[in-house]
Amino acid sequence: QLQLVESGGGLVQPGGSLRLSCAASGFALDYYAVHWFRQAPGKEREGVSCITSSGGFTNYADSVKGRFTISRDNANKTVTLQMNSLKPEDTAVYSCAAGPYCVTQGLKYWGQGTQVTVSS
């Protein structure tokens, strides 16, 4: 089965941190750019961050710049989203997706998502 699997979500208080991971099942993630999206109830999905297949380029939504960091491990098997200084408005289901580039077009694989809840 070809899929992406997210992990690391949970409940955290404002100002806290979480680390999300995205891993591929059934294929190699090495050749793909990996995106993180999030969707809160009643809102449309928004792009959070992306990292290229080489790990040499990253981008972030303005709302998370300076707080979130995306990275790939040395073996290119997983992609991590380190989320610091979390705010209640970060609450959403976070999903990773893989595609050829850090653009929204041509996304090939999606995960089911992991819930992040930021609340006191």
Side-chain angles (χ1 to χ4, degrees):
Q1 184 177 359
L2 305 179
Q3 64 181 53
L4 297 177
V5 180
E6 304 94 342
S7 62
L11 174 65
V12 65
Q13 294 192 356
S17 297
L18 285 173
R19 178 177 289 185
L20 306 183
S21 293
C22 176
S25 178
F27 69 99
L29 202 56
D30 309 47
Y31 300 100
Y32 295 92
V34 175
H35 305 243
W36 283 99
F37 294 87
R38 66 185 183 186
Q39 187 167 26
K43 298 182 180 179
E44 66 179 16
R45 185 186 298 112
E46 63 175 338
V48 175
S49 185
C50 185
I51 187 167
T52 55
S53 59
S54 68
F57 177 83
T58 60
N59 61 29
Y60 301 90
D62 288 342
S63 58
V64 306
K65 285 181 179 177
R67 300 188 297 119
F68 291 10
T69 303
I70 191 169
S71 62
R72 309 187 76 121
D73 69 13
N74 291 333
N76 255 347
K77 292 182 177 180
T78 61
V79 170
T80 296
L81 184 68
Q82 179 66 46
M83 309 164 65
N84 299 325
S85 302
L86 284 162
K87 304 175 180 179
E89 51 263 45
D90 295 319
T91 296
V93 174
Y94 285 71
S95 302
C96 59
Y101 310 103
C102 278
V103 296
T104 57
Q105 297 87 353
L107 298 176
K108 190 172 184 179
Y109 302 105
W110 288 85
Q112 292 298 304
T114 185
Q115 177 70 47
V116 172
T117 302
V118 184
S119 177
S120 58

